[in-house]
Amino acid sequence: MIRRIPPKMIAIGVVTKDRPAMLARLLASFVEMDKPADVQLAFVVIENADTASLGAQVAQFEAAISHKVLYDIEPEPGIPFARNAVLERALTMGADILTFVDDDERVDQGWLVALVQGLWDRDLDLVGGPLRIEAETPVQTFWQSAVLGFLQQKAGRNEARRAERTANGTDGTQDAYTNNWALRLSFAAQHGLRFDGNLRYTGGSDTAFSIALKAAGGRRGWVPDAVVYDRIPLHRLSLGYHYRRSRDQARNGAILRKKPLWKAPFFMLARFVEAAVLVLISPIKGRVALVRAVHNIALADGRLRGALGFKSSLYAPKT
């Protein structure tokens, strides 16, 4: 049954830690974005830290946005705890919808209107939208350019694939991630859905949430015109960082989706063969093909580690 009554309150959630300059660009894009008509907005900013350090920055944003802004800290370290802090506050204030974006992103002008409309008009419980890639500052090396080019191509292929599935009605088969995410809060409240604190440092708590929502009978979807931009700093455009991140994302996926160990060798063989072909054609295709080869090896590495039950520590504090 389609809900004809429009939402009355939307909570826009942001989790942040140690990135004040990038957060400032995200908040500026919130000021510039279109706002849905006749809907109350509340921005919930949670800093994952022991002490608050963003009070002046958030106060400046609140003065510019002319909407309610709730700023608080979550001292328990780990992304799932900060995400749950946002979720609990959104529930307490009586919001109908909770959105999430990452603190290193910026939103397109029409992002919020499109995302909310896609969730509500289609009677869905959780939706995601496109993530487009850009460098935070101009690249300085050939390898940074190659990694950036690969990430942009990969994101473009994913966006096109999901848009096609939306058009043919199969977009509910894929997970939604908190880099561009909207949730119908009544469904989360009814089923007690929260982000899994056991995934404190591994990453993937949003994937686990999406999987749990589907298992509870929730309806997922994709909103092709609700676009956000991931602004990647230069230190993340190295081959080493890209390998580690791709490996650990593949590892998390194998664990969360319970990929059996016996299938790992077949997956790994396919990735190694593809990597070898990419290396051979790299004189023609350029450095982006080499980055893609490294990506395939990272996927094979991650699948094996995940199938063996070895958890990631990608987001653990550096000592």
Side-chain angles (χ1 to χ4, degrees):
M1 179 178 177
I2 303 297
R3 286 178 295 276
R4 300 299 181 186
I5 301 174
K8 295 179 180 179
M9 179 186 290
I10 301 167
I12 297 94
V14 178
V15 168
T16 189
K17 181 176 176 61
D18 299 332
R19 293 198 281 210
M22 300 192 86
L23 175 65
R25 182 65 191 94
L26 172 62
L27 297 181
S29 71
F30 285 154
V31 175
E32 298 162 0
M33 75 181 179
D34 299 333
K35 315 300 190 296
D38 303 320
V39 179
Q40 183 180 355
L41 300 184
F43 293 82
V44 183
V45 180
I46 297 295
E47 184 177 6
N48 196 197
D50 291 325
T51 57
S53 65
L54 301 168
Q57 187 177 22
V58 173
Q60 184 178 9
F61 166 64
E62 185 170 18
I65 197 70
S66 300
H67 289 281
K68 178 181 174 124
V69 179
L70 190 158
Y71 166 58
D72 205 349
I73 63 167
E74 172 49 61
E76 186 68 36
I79 297 172
F81 299 98
R83 287 172 176 160
N84 281 332
V86 173
L87 179 55
E88 295 295 346
R89 285 160 177 78
L91 287 168
T92 298
M93 67 176 59
D96 301 295
I97 295 172
L98 170 63
T99 75
F100 267 116
V101 289
D102 291 342
D103 63 347
D104 57 353
E105 297 173 353
R106 65 179 181 89
V107 302
D108 185 73
Q109 182 175 342
W111 165 75
L112 183 62
V113 173
L115 192 68
V116 169
Q117 185 174 359
L119 176 80
W120 211 257
D121 287 359
R122 292 181 59 197
D123 197 31
L124 299 176
D125 301 300
L126 180 66
V127 294
L131 182 72
R132 296 179 185 171
I133 307 297
E134 60 187 24
E136 180 188 11
T137 56
V139 296
Q140 298 175 354
T141 70
F142 287 118
W143 281 114
Q144 288 172 352
S145 178
V147 173
L148 178 64
F150 168 78
L151 292 173
Q152 289 173 331
Q153 290 180 12
K154 180 172 175 283
R157 289 193 298 269
N158 180 63
E159 182 176 342
R161 183 169 57 250
R162 290 203 175 211
E164 181 179 356
R165 289 178 177 175
T166 303
N168 63 31
T170 60
D171 53 321
T173 60
Q174 293 187 302
D175 294 313
Y177 309 112
T178 50
N179 55 30
N180 189 357
W181 190 90
L183 168 72
R184 184 165 62 91
L185 282 167
S186 60
F187 189 90
Q190 179 184 355
H191 296 277
L193 295 175
R194 297 298 185 272
F195 295 96
D196 187 351
N198 292 319
L199 305 176
R200 179 195 302 266
Y201 297 136
T202 65
S205 63
D206 52 353
T207 303
F209 190 103
S210 181
I211 292 171
L213 180 138
K214 182 182 179 184
R219 300 181 67 239
R220 306 180 302 183
W222 180 257
V223 185
D225 50 350
V227 177
V228 302
Y229 298 87
D230 190 1
R231 306 175 64 244
I232 302 180
L234 296 187
H235 74 272
R236 291 191 174 189
L237 292 176
S238 70
L239 273 178
Y241 181 86
H242 176 66
Y243 183 93
R244 293 189 298 274
R245 184 176 176 85
S246 300
R247 176 198 65 199
D248 286 1
Q249 287 177 335
R251 169 164 43 186
N252 288 340
I255 292 173
L256 293 172
R257 296 181 178 89
K258 299 179 173 58
K259 298 293 185 181
L261 179 59
W262 69 267
K263 286 188 176 181
F266 302 99
F267 178 87
M268 295 170 67
L269 178 60
R271 300 291 79 74
F272 283 134
V273 169
E274 186 174 350
V277 171
L278 288 164
V279 170
L280 290 174
I281 66 174
S282 63
I284 300 172
K285 296 294 186 178
R287 283 188 174 91
V288 172
L290 290 175
V291 176
R292 189 175 173 188
V294 169
H295 179 75
N296 273 273
I297 296 171
L299 294 182
D301 185 2
R303 172 60 70 87
L304 179 61
R305 292 178 190 235
L308 290 171
F310 297 145
K311 293 184 178 181
S312 165
S313 58
L314 181 65
Y315 298 105
K318 303 299 185 288
T319 56

